[in-house]
Amino acid sequence: MSKRIAILGSTGSIGTQALDIISKSTDFDVVALSAHSNMVLLERQIQNFKPEQVTITDESSYHDFLDNNKYQIKINLGIDGLKEMISEIDVDIILIAIVGIAALEVTYYAVSKGIDIALANKESIVTGGELITSVAAKTGASILPVDSEHSAIFQCIQGCNNKEEIKNIYLTASGGPFKDYSLIELEEVTVTQALRHPNWDMGEKVTIDSATLMNKGLEVIEAKWLFNIDTDKIKVVVHPQSIIHSMVEFIDGSIISHMAMPDMRIPILYALSYPQRTQTNISLNPYHMEPLTFEHPDFRRFPCLQLAYEAINIGGTMPTALNAANEVAVQNFLMGRVSFTDIPKIIEKAMNLHLNDIIYNPSLQDILHVDRILKEMLI
Ligand code: MN
C-alpha cells in the first residue's frame, strides 16, 4: 500500500526535492499539491503526479491559472483554500514545505485535525512551537522533522524512551560561507557572496540565515519544542564538512551521531517513510571522507545565534518577534538596503521594543498579531 501524501509548497526547494524522490519510488501517492506563484512548474507537477486537488496561495497567480485551467481537478485559493483542501482529502501525511510564517496557520490546522505532518517549515515551530506541540499531544498527530539536523536528532533518539537519559544535543552547523571572516570583513559582505553556500543547495532566505547563523538559532528553538529539551542542553557545534548532521550525548557517556551526504532528499524521505526506510542511491563512502572537524561557534561575530538563545529563554512571543525581525532584515539585505552586519542589529532593536509587549502562552491569533505588528513597524 502506498502512502497518500500532500505536498504544500511543492515548487520550492524542499517540495521539488520531495517530488524528485517520490517519482523514483512506488511507495507514495501524491494526492494534493500547493504552490505560491510558480505556475509553470505547478502545471508540470500536476501532469506528472495527477493530484486530486491543488491550492494556489498567490491570488493573481490563482486567477491566471483558473483562466487557462485544462485540468479536471479542484483548485483552491489561499490559506483558507489550503485548510479546505486538507479537510477534504484523505492523506496519511502532509509535507509542509511552505516558506515563512504563512505555514503556521496550516500546520496548526493539520495538527489540530490529528493529521501526521512532515515539517520542513521552520517558522511554525519557532513561533508556535509551544502551541503546536501541545495540540499534537492532544490529537495524537506526529510531527516528523524534515530539517537535516532535527531529522538526525530524531534518528539518534529512536529507542530512547526516557528523555532524562539525554545529556546534551549537539546541533551541527556548517558555519556558512563566512565562518572565518573578521568583523570588518563581515561588514563588506555582498548579497552574491552570502547566497553562495558551501555545502547545501537551499532557498535564498535560508541561505542568508545560514550565513548569519540565525538558521542555527532558529533550529535551537525548534529543537527545544520538537524534543522537549531545555535550551541549556542544546549546544551548537560548527562542523564545516556537513557530514554529521547532529549528535545526541546520553548520560552514560555515549554520543550517537547521524552521518550522511549533505542531501536534503535523505531527511525528506525519512520523514515521509517513517518508521520504515526507503532505498536511495545516495551514498556516503567512509573510505573517501575528508577529516571531520568540530569547533565552537563565535557568538561575537555571529550575534544572531546569541539572539535566538535569548529569545527562547525569554519565551512567549519573543521568538515570534525574533523571527519577524529576521525576515524583514534578510529581505532588506537581499534588496541591498542594509548591510550584512545590520541584520542582527535590526533584530536586537526589535526584540528590545517587544520586551514590554510579550504575550506568554500565545494563541494562534496572538502569534500572527505580533508577527504583523513587528513587520509593519520595521518595514
Ligand atoms: Mn538545517
Side-chain angles (χ1 to χ4, degrees):
M1 262 270 290
S2 54
K3 257 192 186 177
R4 294 172 59 85
I5 292 184
I7 298 180
L8 311 186
S10 65
T11 56
S13 167
I14 297 289
T16 49
Q17 292 183 77
L19 286 171
D20 174 58
I21 41 176
I22 285 172
S23 69
K24 297 183 175 107
S25 165
T26 53
D27 297 353
F28 307 103
D29 191 8
V30 177
V31 297
L33 295 172
S34 92
H36 188 62
S37 56
N38 189 342
M39 296 301 105
V40 175
L41 185 52
L42 178 66
E43 192 154 349
R44 210 179 319 142
Q45 293 177 342
I46 293 172
Q47 287 161 4
N48 290 343
F49 296 96
K50 308 195 167 39
E52 295 164 11
Q53 289 197 28
V54 300
T55 299
I56 298 163
T57 44
D58 176 62
E59 196 162 349
S60 69
S61 304
Y62 167 80
H63 291 298
D64 291 348
F65 195 86
L66 275 195
D67 289 343
N68 309 303
N69 183 19
K70 351 183 218 304
Y71 308 99
Q72 301 300 315
I73 56 172
K74 189 176 170 205
I75 319 274
N76 308 280
L77 166 66
I79 302 281
D80 288 335
L82 281 173
K83 291 198 273 189
E84 197 175 307
M85 181 169 83
I86 292 170
S87 72
E88 289 173 0
I89 53 175
D90 172 24
V91 276
D92 295 311
I93 189 162
I94 301 177
L95 171 61
I96 300 179
I98 294 171
V99 180
I101 196 155
L104 173 66
E105 216 177 317
V106 179
T107 303
Y108 179 77
Y109 184 79
V111 167
S112 306
K113 292 236 152 206
I115 303 170
D116 291 347
I117 56 167
L119 189 60
N121 173 267
K122 281 207 158 76
E123 290 80 0
S124 39
I125 293 293
V126 168
T127 63
E130 197 171 5
L131 179 71
I132 286 165
T133 53
S134 68
V135 172
K138 276 185 219 134
T139 63
S142 299
I143 303 172
L144 297 152
V146 169
D147 202 354
S148 60
E149 294 80 359
H150 302 109
S151 174
I153 295 163
F154 184 64
Q155 294 184 54
C156 292
I157 62 172
Q158 291 300 309
C160 169
N161 298 315
N162 179 5
K163 199 186 68 154
E164 301 302 316
E165 291 177 356
I166 299 173
K167 190 175 171 190
N168 285 303
I169 283 178
Y170 289 96
L171 276 171
T172 51
S174 70
F178 313 127
K179 184 175 80 65
D180 300 314
Y181 277 41
S182 69
L183 269 175
I184 312 272
E185 287 171 318
L186 285 173
E187 279 171 20
E188 307 297 321
V189 158
T190 66
V191 174
T192 323
Q193 287 175 307
L195 285 176
R196 220 180 288 133
H197 193 278
N199 304 337
W200 293 97
D201 176 17
M202 307 174 291
E204 276 193 353
K205 162 76 166 49
V206 57
T207 302
I208 302 300
D209 286 347
S210 293
T212 62
L213 291 200
M214 179 56 94
N215 183 53
K216 214 48 56 180
L218 298 178
E219 289 175 1
V220 168
I221 299 173
E222 285 180 280
K224 177 198 159 71
W225 296 121
L226 289 171
F227 306 111
N228 189 19
I229 293 286
D230 293 341
T231 43
D232 58 358
K233 290 183 175 178
I234 306 171
K235 320 271 198 246
V236 171
V237 59
V238 174
H239 166 52
Q241 297 82 26
S242 297
I243 293 298
I244 288 184
H245 298 296
S246 276
M247 323 184 226
V248 178
E249 181 184 17
F250 295 90
I251 49 170
D252 65 352
S254 299
I255 291 186
I256 300 185
S257 71
H258 170 270
M259 296 203 283
M261 289 297 284
D263 187 321
M264 280 309 294
R265 290 174 299 173
I266 295 175
I268 295 168
L269 193 57
Y270 186 75
L272 295 179
S273 309
Y274 180 83
Q276 271 87 44
R277 287 184 188 270
T278 303
Q279 188 173 334
T280 75
N281 56 10
I282 309 160
S283 166
L284 173 69
N285 186 339
Y287 298 111
H288 297 136
M289 215 189 287
E290 53 183 318
L292 304 181
T293 61
F294 305 93
E295 51 193 277
H296 276 287
D298 186 342
F299 289 89
R300 198 179 53 91
R301 282 182 300 130
F302 299 97
C304 285
L305 187 55
Q306 184 64 40
L307 292 171
Y309 273 103
E310 282 169 20
I312 188 63
N313 290 334
I314 293 167
T317 47
M318 192 53 97
T320 301
L322 169 98
N323 178 69
N326 182 54
E327 273 188 37
V328 175
V330 169
Q331 206 53 50
N332 284 340
F333 171 68
L334 286 172
M335 293 190 297
R337 289 187 192 155
V338 301
S339 75
F340 186 76
T341 45
D342 283 336
I343 296 173
K345 290 175 194 157
I346 293 167
I347 299 164
E348 190 173 7
K349 214 168 100 193
M351 284 173 66
N352 283 329
L353 284 170
H354 186 59
L355 215 44
N356 296 320
D357 305 319
I358 296 175
I359 305 166
Y360 290 97
N361 298 305
S363 67
L364 182 69
Q365 281 66 35
D366 291 334
I367 296 165
L368 294 173
H369 172 76
V370 168
D371 178 69
R372 194 166 49 240
I373 295 286
L374 259 291
K375 284 176 182 166
E376 277 169 11
M377 197 181 70
L378 291 167
I379 286 168

